[in-house]
């Protein structure tokens, strides 16, 4: 069924993290219902809103990194393209920032 998908380790870790976040957010919402709050985002948000915005931001950051990986290799005179794990760590940091301060 999933033969068309290239299941590399970063892809598996990414989807596992998203699934765990959704389960965790569901349990958290059940135990402690959320309220609207205003952070540095230009609107009042709930935890679920911030998770959605953070996941979109993380996905776009990963796409930009993948798109520019060849340029990074050229600009920094690297022997190979930088590891996708770098963008994974940066995108999870961005997600954590949006969840905490957004």
């Amino acid at each position: 069924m999933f033969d068309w998908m290239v299941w590399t380790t970063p892809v598996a870790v990414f989807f596992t993290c998203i699934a765990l976040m959704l389960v965790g957010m569901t349990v958290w919402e059940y135990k402690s219902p959320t309220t609207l709050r205003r952070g540095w985002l230009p609107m009042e948000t709930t935890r679920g809103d911030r998770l959605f915005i953070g996941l979109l931001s993380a996905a776009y950051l990963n796409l930009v990194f993948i798109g520019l990986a060849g340029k990074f290799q050229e600009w920094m005179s690297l022997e190979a393209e930088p590891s996708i794990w770098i963008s994974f760590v940066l995108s999870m940091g961005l997600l954590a920032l949006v969840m905490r301060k957004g």
Side-chain angles (χ1 to χ4, degrees), residues 2-17 66 83-85 87-88:
F2 293 111
D3 292 341
W4 59 272
M5 180 94 177
V6 178
W7 283 100
T8 62
T9 303
V11 171
V13 169
F14 176 76
F15 282 110
T16 301
C17 286
I66 290 168
S83 173
I84 194 72
W85 288 108
S87 70
F88 176 76

Side-chain angles (χ1 to χ4, degrees), residues 7-63:
W7 283 100
T8 62
T9 303
V11 171
V13 169
F14 176 76
F15 282 110
T16 301
C17 286
I18 289 179
L20 289 174
M21 276 190 275
L22 291 174
V23 169
M25 288 292 288
T26 302
V27 170
W28 190 9
E29 184 67 28
Y30 180 74
K31 297 244 182 218
S32 170
T34 189
T35 58
L36 290 174
R37 76 167 175 87
R38 188 165 177 91
W40 51 265
L41 291 171
M43 62 194 152
E44 290 184 341
T45 58
T46 64
R47 285 187 294 245
D49 296 334
R50 290 188 301 276
L51 176 66
F52 181 72
I53 292 167
L55 285 173
L56 281 177
S57 302
Y60 285 123
L61 179 69
N62 273 309
L63 289 174

